[in-house]
Amino acid sequence: MESRSIYREFYLKLIFATSLFVVILSFIFFEYSRVSFYDNLQDNLLFQAKQIEKGYIRFDKFQNVVSHSQIIELSTSKKIDNFKFSKFVNKNRAFIKIEFPMHDGATLEITKDITLEKDILYSVIIKNFFALAIPGFILMIIYSLVVSKSLLKPIIGINKKLSNMDENSLSQVDTKGLPQEFLTLATSINSLTNRIGTYLKFKKELYIGIAHELKTPLAVMKLKNELMLKKPREISQYEDAIKLTIKEIDGMNIMISSILDIGRTEGAQFEQPKNIDLVEFIKYKTNDYNMLASKKSIIIKFSSNVSSFQLLIQETLFNQILQNFVQNAIKFTPNGKTIKIKFKKIENKIVLSVIDEGIGINENIDVFAPFKKLGKENGVGLGLYLAKIASDALNAKISIKNREDGKSGAIARLELNL
């Protein structure tokens, strides 16, 4: 199947449109010239008839002057109330005729031979038309090609930029000088390349981190077991080695589960969206989180500026973000403190905030990168990475910053444009 060319289609359509415009304009010009030609002849004949009727020009004198190109007759048998014109052709010659009522009841008839004038008119129009049409058509083709090239230049530039991109050169499309109609496209492409760049960066860090996190416990177990095999040991020493191995295996299982969660989160991007009441959904989840937080005597409070809010959304992805925010807040909040979950509907977006009273974060660290651990709490460091994957799939923005109200703690925030 032959590929289509936008450039070719555009300039062909432009040539067709301008050609049609020229043809219509030429037809209008021709009709205007023809009508003006006959109007002038009719006005001239009418003026002559009125002059004869008033006696300013004697019939015999007028007849002698113009008899070589027109015929003047008086008819007493024909009675008319008003003057009228007619056109006819006789023996390949064109004539125009006026019938004019005289004051004595007679009818004045002036018949003028307009063959020469008509031939000149049509000859001039046709000659001028071709004299202008051929150069005009050539200029029109050049104009169409130049305009097509200039209008399609931004698309060609963007296309060239994209065709030269790979994972090692995700450069941005320069929006300076772009027409307004292409700004949205360029901005979307830049946003997409940013997301792809971040994704590739995190993927590389993820693979490196997985290799490191799995290699370390394997090396520890191998070294411990090799030492145990060098000479006979006490039973308690063998038990300690086995316990260490089991502990390292448990840690590896946790990490593998987190890695599997990444696959499930990425797979959830293709989940069918559901229409759920987010306020009721968060209320229900808050009750579950309170049971988890009760081990540290932490109270979780939920508030919303709307009583309900229905939204078509991928539930698994939204829950992944909410769950990660709350679990981190519980992990880093001291015993007996409070965690607040706030849901707000603000104009054309919703904002979910989880506010804790913990130690806060180092804002110079990219906390959403894989294996970035905060504080001294246990964990693999993949939770926020999972939340980032989920937020990207929802076209949402997430952030974690320290509180600005003078209290210690952090605010995890999700913004979703409706």
Side-chain angles (χ1 to χ4, degrees):
M1 183 177 178
E2 186 180 355
S3 60
R4 296 171 58 191
S5 168
I6 295 179
Y7 173 63
R8 182 172 177 271
E9 288 189 11
F10 187 77
Y11 76 68
L12 286 178
K13 289 180 179 179
L14 188 58
I15 290 174
F16 173 77
T18 50
S19 300
L20 184 62
F21 173 74
V22 170
V23 170
I24 294 174
L25 194 63
S26 300
F27 177 76
I28 293 173
F29 170 72
F30 172 77
E31 283 297 310
Y32 174 77
S33 300
R34 189 178 64 85
V35 171
S36 299
F37 168 71
Y38 284 113
D39 284 345
N40 289 335
L41 289 175
Q42 289 174 358
D43 290 342
N44 187 35
L45 290 180
L46 180 59
F47 177 75
Q48 292 176 6
K50 289 180 178 180
Q51 293 295 84
I52 293 173
E53 196 270 340
K54 292 180 179 180
Y56 294 145
I57 302 176
R58 296 201 312 273
F59 173 77
D60 56 348
K61 184 177 180 181
F62 184 75
Q63 189 177 27
N64 292 333
V65 174
V66 297
S67 59
H68 66 279
S69 62
Q70 59 188 23
I71 301 171
I72 301 176
E73 297 175 327
L74 279 174
S75 174
T76 57
S77 61
K78 186 184 292 185
K79 305 288 184 181
I80 59 174
D81 296 328
N82 199 2
F83 66 89
K84 60 181 180 180
F85 296 96
S86 59
K87 297 188 290 284
F88 61 93
V89 177
N90 185 18
K91 296 180 181 180
N92 295 327
R93 300 192 70 81
F95 297 90
I96 185 171
K97 179 180 179 180
I98 183 174
E99 295 175 310
F100 188 84
M102 303 295 284
H103 61 274
D104 56 359
T107 300
L108 174 65
E109 295 180 355
I110 304 177
T111 305
K112 183 175 179 61
D113 185 347
I114 59 170
T115 305
L116 179 61
E117 291 90 338
K118 188 176 180 181
D119 289 344
I120 293 174
L121 171 70
Y122 280 77
S123 176
V124 170
I125 290 177
I126 293 173
K127 286 181 179 178
N128 288 338
F129 174 75
F130 282 106
L132 294 174
I134 295 175
F137 187 72
I138 295 173
L139 289 174
M140 181 177 56
I141 293 176
I142 297 173
Y143 169 78
S144 300
L145 294 174
V146 172
V147 170
S148 302
K149 199 79 173 178
S150 62
L151 290 178
L152 293 176
K153 187 176 180 181
I155 293 182
I156 294 172
I158 292 173
N159 181 57
K160 187 179 293 185
K161 195 83 171 178
L162 293 176
S163 63
N164 293 328
M165 277 189 189
D166 55 35
E167 63 178 31
N168 297 316
S169 59
L170 292 171
S171 54
Q172 298 283 293
V173 175
D174 187 7
T175 57
K176 293 181 180 179
L178 276 181
Q180 186 177 0
E181 291 78 8
F182 294 100
L183 287 178
T184 303
L185 174 62
T187 303
S188 299
I189 291 174
N190 289 339
S191 175
L192 180 61
T193 54
N194 280 333
R195 289 177 60 182
I196 293 173
T198 303
Y199 176 79
L200 292 174
K201 173 190 171 185
F202 283 173
K203 278 293 183 185
K204 289 178 181 178
E205 292 184 11
L206 177 64
Y207 295 145
I208 294 171
I210 289 173
H212 175 74
E213 294 290 332
L214 291 178
K215 187 176 180 180
T216 300
L218 287 173
V220 170
M221 288 187 291
K222 182 175 182 295
L223 179 61
K224 186 70 175 177
N225 289 327
E226 286 176 346
L227 290 174
M228 296 300 296
L229 292 174
K230 283 188 175 181
K231 63 179 182 178
R233 307 280 180 176
E234 298 291 332
I235 295 178
S236 61
Q237 291 179 313
Y238 287 116
E239 289 177 348
D240 290 340
I242 293 172
K243 289 178 182 178
L244 175 64
T245 301
I246 293 173
K247 180 181 177 182
E248 296 295 341
I249 291 173
D250 288 340
M252 292 170 66
N253 278 330
I254 293 173
M255 187 189 336
I256 291 171
S257 296
S258 298
I259 295 170
L260 291 175
D261 285 339
I262 294 175
R264 281 191 287 268
T265 301
E266 291 182 342
Q269 299 179 29
F270 305 100
E271 177 187 80
Q272 190 70 22
K274 297 179 182 178
N275 191 21
I276 62 175
D277 186 337
L278 287 184
V279 176
E280 289 299 321
F281 180 82
I282 298 172
K283 279 183 182 178
Y284 175 78
K285 289 294 180 180
T286 301
N287 292 331
D288 293 341
Y289 299 141
N290 266 313
M291 288 188 287
L292 181 64
S294 62
K295 296 179 182 180
K296 297 177 67 176
S297 301
I298 294 173
I299 299 174
I300 301 178
K301 297 180 180 180
F302 171 67
S303 62
S304 172
N305 66 341
V306 290
S307 57
S308 65
F309 186 78
Q310 296 286 336
L311 183 65
L312 192 66
I313 196 171
Q314 290 156 302
E315 182 181 334
T316 302
L317 296 177
F318 182 79
N319 183 58
Q320 178 72 53
I321 299 170
L322 175 63
Q323 177 176 295
N324 184 270
F325 282 177
V326 175
Q327 285 180 345
N328 276 343
I330 294 173
K331 183 188 297 185
F332 295 105
T333 298
N335 294 351
K337 298 292 185 176
T338 302
I339 296 172
K340 297 178 181 178
I341 302 176
K342 294 184 177 181
F343 179 85
K344 290 184 179 181
K345 166 70 171 61
I346 306 173
E347 296 179 352
N348 61 339
K349 69 178 179 180
I350 58 172
V351 178
L352 173 68
S353 301
V354 177
I355 307 168
D356 63 49
E357 297 181 0
I359 58 175
I361 64 166
N362 183 354
E363 295 184 359
N364 295 321
I365 298 176
D366 185 1
V367 295
F368 297 107
F371 299 106
K372 286 294 187 294
K373 298 179 183 180
L374 302 177
K376 298 180 181 180
E377 297 291 336
N378 294 329
V380 181
L382 291 176
L384 289 175
Y385 175 68
L386 289 171
K388 185 68 169 62
I389 294 175
S391 67
D392 287 344
L394 293 176
N395 289 322
K397 293 181 180 180
I398 60 173
S399 62
I400 299 181
K401 295 182 179 180
N402 291 316
R403 296 177 62 165
E404 297 178 351
D405 56 2
K407 298 181 180 179
S408 64
I411 301 177
R413 184 182 176 96
L414 163 72
E415 292 186 16
L416 176 61
N417 290 323
L418 302 177

